[in-house]
Amino acid sequence: NTISEALPSQPLLPKKAQLRFAVQYGGGTFKVGEIIHNLENSDGRYILRATTQTTGLVSLFKSFHLSQTSSGSVSRQGLRPDSYVEVKTEGSGTQTSTASFDWGAHKVSFNNGKEVALAEQAQDILSLPYHLSQLPLNLKNFPIALSNGKNIRQHYLAVGNETSISTAMGELRTVTLHKVHGANEEGLIIWLALEYRLLPVKI
């Protein structure tokens, strides 16, 4: 099926949602941690909070905790972040990274002192999967500027075909989006659930 056939209209972003992900290593065979996303969306504003931490035996050998917060506005064009905050705690200590999006001045500022131009299509790494659920996915690929709290880089996302994946909720029909990248660049694939408002179910 084409995506336009599978998804006749764009779903609304939920008012509230909690998504729980298993962090897996080695081809998805070994669970090393857990991620919990909490979304609140009301009156044209959203806030996303995520916590990532090691679990089980792994936590005895490597303690890791990541807290992420993205907040901003919601419109027919998707999510528009105003602020992204990331606090990472591991054996070497705690690091905080922040990005402030100034859409009026078309710039994004970081707590490391860097300030760069802000592209119209820009997201942070936490808002991105939820922003995608609000876009018409009838394009083969589209540009996106993505910030990790330390910098912002331009990428292209390609829309894949409908595919079924096995999850803790059973078999889910999904559409994939993947970052177009070079041989030595880090990849990214996001699976959005067609029957669950295009929310991310695997990253």
Side-chain angles (χ1 to χ4, degrees), residues 13-203:
L13 198 66
K15 295 295 183 185
K16 287 189 177 183
Q18 183 181 88
L19 288 77
R20 189 181 298 264
F21 301 88
V23 180
Q24 295 178 321
Y25 179 77
T29 58
F30 182 52
K31 181 178 178 180
V32 297
E34 183 177 71
I35 304 174
I36 298 175
H37 285 189
N38 284 288
L39 166 69
E40 295 180 21
N41 164 39
S42 63
D43 299 325
R45 300 287 301 174
Y46 80 89
I47 183 164
L48 271 162
R49 297 183 179 90
T51 56
T52 304
Q53 60 187 8
T54 47
T55 57
L57 288 174
V58 175
S59 63
L60 299 177
F61 301 98
K62 182 174 177 62
S63 177
F64 176 88
H65 187 275
L66 175 67
S67 171
Q68 298 165 286
T69 304
S70 173
S71 60
S73 60
V74 183
S75 71
R76 290 184 178 181
Q77 285 72 47
L79 273 59
R80 176 167 274 199
D82 293 329
S83 170
Y84 173 75
V85 179
E86 176 179 300
V87 181
K88 182 188 299 183
T89 303
E90 47 189 340
S92 58
T94 298
Q95 291 183 330
T96 300
S97 302
T98 68
S100 298
F101 298 78
D102 187 335
W103 295 97
H106 302 289
K107 64 182 181 180
V108 57
S109 305
F110 304 93
N111 68 327
N112 59 13
K114 186 183 297 184
E115 186 176 282
V116 297
L118 180 60
E120 190 62 28
Q121 289 293 331
Q123 297 293 316
D124 59 66
I125 56 176
L126 182 56
S127 66
L128 176 65
Y130 299 89
H131 173 70
L132 295 176
S133 75
Q134 303 301 292
L135 298 181
L137 300 179
N138 54 2
L139 301 173
K140 287 187 177 181
N141 59 69
F142 52 89
I144 199 90
L146 189 59
S147 175
N148 61 2
K150 302 178 184 69
N151 54 46
I152 190 165
R153 292 183 60 192
Q154 184 80 15
H155 300 285
Y156 280 86
L157 294 181
V159 181
N161 295 322
E162 180 184 334
T163 183
S164 293
I165 62 170
S166 296
T167 72
M169 297 169 61
E171 287 285 317
L172 294 181
R173 292 171 53 231
T174 66
V175 56
T176 59
L177 289 98
H178 66 270
K179 186 178 75 172
V180 179
H181 62 91
N184 298 318
E185 292 181 327
E186 190 176 64
L188 172 67
I189 306 175
I190 300 172
W191 285 258
L192 306 178
L194 287 167
E195 296 165 317
Y196 289 91
R197 300 197 193 189
L198 285 179
L199 290 174
V201 288
K202 184 178 179 180
I203 301 173

